[in-house]
Amino acid sequence: MVCDTENLNIKAIVDKLVAGAETTLEEWGTLLELSAPEDLQALYEAAYQVKLETVGPTVYFRGIVELSNICSKDCYYCGIRRSNTNVERYQMAEDEIVRDALWAHEHRYGSIVLQSGERQDDKFTEQIERVLKRIKAESGGELGITLSLGEQTREVYQKWFDAGAHRYLLRIETTNPDLYRMLHPETHDFDARVACLDELRAVGYQVGTGVMIGLPGQTTADLASDIQFFRERDIDMIGMGPYVLHSETPLAASVDAIDPKTQLERGLKMIAVTRLVLRDVNIAATTALQALNPIGRELGLQAGANIIMPNLTDTPYRKDYQLYEGKPCLDEDSTMCRGCLQKRIAGIGETIGLDQWGDSPHFLKRTGDGGEAS
Ligand code: SAH
Ligand code: SF4
C-alpha cells in the first residue's frame, strides 16, 4: 500500500515536469534518490521525451583538444593538479592544436572545445588568442569554438571572445560553498568562480557550467540546489559528470572506493532531472560516464543529454591528461574514436548534427539569435 502511494507520488512529479508545471526542490530530490530499476527507467524515458520535444534527437559533437596539462591550481580531486609530481607536463604546439581543430572541421564536426589546466600568464593568453584567430581563419569561420580554460580576468575573456571563441565552459563544481571549500585549498575562491560566470555572460559567451556528482559529503539537497543554480543563472549549457577517483589526489586518500554502478546511476539521474527542469539547454554526456561504463555516454544520451565531446587530443598526450582514473580511449586516435562513436550513436537511433554548431535553443531564445554560421 505504502509502495503504491510512493509510486503515485513519483509519477505525479514526473508528469508535472513533463508538462512543464512548477515543481519543488524536494520533488527533484525525490527523483534523484530513485533506485528501483522500473522507476529509473520511467525517469529516463520522461527525460528523453522532453529532450525530443525541446532539443530533438540530434547529437552534436564538440571535438575536445586537451592542449596542456600544466595547471597552477591544486583542486583536491584532480589528477593533473599542480602538486601531482608524477605527471609529465606537456603543452601542445600551436600548429598541433590548429591541425587537430582542422581535422574536426574536415570530418564535419560542427564545433571544438579547447581545454587545459589553468594558466593566467600573458604567454598563455596570447598563444590561445593566436590559435583562435588561426582556427577561425583556416576553417573559413565555420568551426564553432568552446573554451574550457578556467578562471581568467574579464579582459582575457574579452580578448578570446574577440578572437573567435563563442562558448565557455566553467564548472562551478558544487554550489554548496562549504563543500567547495573542502574540495579546494584556501587560495581557490567559490565567489570568484561565480563572478567568472557573470563576466562570461557579460562578454557575450554562451555560458556552460556544471558540477561533479557523487562527491564525498555531497547530499541530494546539494544536487537539487545545483539544478536550481543552473536555472537561476539562466545557464545555456551543462557539462557535468560523476566524480571519479584519481589515486594520486588528496580526496581519493580520504574516501573509500566508490561503487561505479551507483556513481554512474547518480550521473544519469542528474542528467535526467536537469533535462526535465531546464528543458531546452544543451547537456553533455561527459566522458566520466564512459569511464564508469563502456556505454556510459550512450546511456547519458538516453537519459536526456544531447552533446558528446569526442577526444581529438594527439594520442601520445592523452595518457598525461588524466583528471581521473579509467579515462577511456587513451591509446586510440581521433579516427578510431570517430568510427566507434558513429556506430554507437546510430545504435541508439539518433543522428549526428554534422557541420552544425548546435547552439542550445535556450541561448537562441535568450538572445534572439545564435550566430550560427553553418
Ligand atoms: N582547468 C579547467 C578545465 C579542465 S578541468 C577547469 O578546472 O575549469 C575540467 C573539469 O574536470 C573540472 O571542471 C572538473 O569538474 C573535472 N574533474 C577534475 N577532476 C575530476 C575527477 N576526479 N572526477 C570527475 N571530474 C573531474
Ligand atoms: Fe587544474 Fe582544472 Fe584540475 Fe583544478 S580541475 S587542478 S583547475 S585542471
Side-chain angles (χ1 to χ4, degrees), residues 71 73-75 77-78 80-82 116-118 173 323:
C71 188
K73 289 229 167 144
D74 232 353
C75 309
Y77 42 83
C78 177
I80 64 166
R81 62 197 296 270
R82 186 185 61 204
S116 78
E118 190 171 301
E173 313 297 3
L323 311 174

Side-chain angles (χ1 to χ4, degrees), residues 53-83:
E53 285 165 15
T54 54
V55 297
T58 306
V59 184
Y60 296 101
F61 279 6
R62 319 277 187 239
I64 181 163
V65 184
E66 297 154 336
L67 58 94
S68 171
N69 64 357
I70 300 170
C71 188
S72 57
K73 289 229 167 144
D74 232 353
C75 309
Y76 292 149
Y77 42 83
C78 177
I80 64 166
R81 62 197 296 270
R82 186 185 61 204
S83 299

